Structure formats: structure tokens, C-alpha cells
Amino acid sequence: MPDMLFLGGLPWLAGNALGVLALSGWRWVFWLALAVNLSQGMGIVFAIPPEVFQAVLEVHGPLGLLPILVTDGGALLLAGAMVVSLAVYRSPWALRRSGGA
């Protein structure tokens, strides 16, 4: 029987995999990537009980927190960058200019 934590992470795994389509410039990919990254970034605050962090620190030390900080913290930073880009350019993907100065 698969682990429930693994099954719980499958939507984010699939969403991040679809995020590779960002190179296509499609608008729906922007909104999907933003939703995936916001929800993944909020997981560190709302989905993981503080007792888990305490247990990880006791068993593995500070390096045990590295995976969650990289994945969820990185998702939160990426979502922030996407929101700033959306506010500045008023478009899901920044305008790509070709040639010239």
C-alpha cells in the first residue's frame, strides 16, 4: 500500500511537471504554476504540524529541515516572483522583445 504522504504529494509533483511547459508562454501554464507554487509554499505553514519540525530537529538536526525549506521555501519565493512580474508587466508572462535596443 502506498504511503499517504507520497499520495498527498502527487498533485504537486504533477503540477511542477506541467510547469516545464512555461517555456511555451501559454497563459494557463502561468496560472497553474502560480497555484501550484502558492499551495506548495503555504504547506510549510498550514500543512505540516510544528511537532514534525521539532521531531526532525531532534532526530536529524538542522540539516533535516533542508528538504522542506528548499521545496516549499523555493516554491514560495517563485510564487512571489511570479506575482511581482504579474504586477509589473500586467500580463501573465512578461513581453518578450525581439532584436533592437
Side-chain angles (χ1 to χ4, degrees):
M1 170 138 288
D3 184 12
M4 290 308 291
L5 288 176
F6 172 74
L7 291 177
L10 285 179
W12 287 276
L13 182 67
N16 282 314
L18 285 173
V20 173
L21 295 174
L23 297 173
S24 69
W26 294 328
R27 290 178 181 265
W28 68 269
V29 177
F30 179 89
W31 297 110
L32 174 74
L34 183 60
V36 167
N37 285 297
L38 279 175
S39 63
Q40 186 174 354
M42 291 294 116
I44 199 168
V45 178
F46 297 111
I48 302 171
E51 296 84 17
V52 172
F53 294 113
Q54 187 60 38
V56 167
L57 281 172
E58 290 173 6
V59 174
H60 302 289
L63 286 179
L65 294 175
L66 195 57
I68 191 76
L69 292 175
V70 168
T71 57
D72 292 6
L76 200 55
L77 288 173
L78 181 56
M82 292 175 76
V83 168
V84 168
S85 172
L86 183 63
V88 169
Y89 293 102
R90 306 274 195 264
S91 175
W93 296 117
L95 178 64
R96 294 183 183 149
R97 298 175 193 255
S98 60

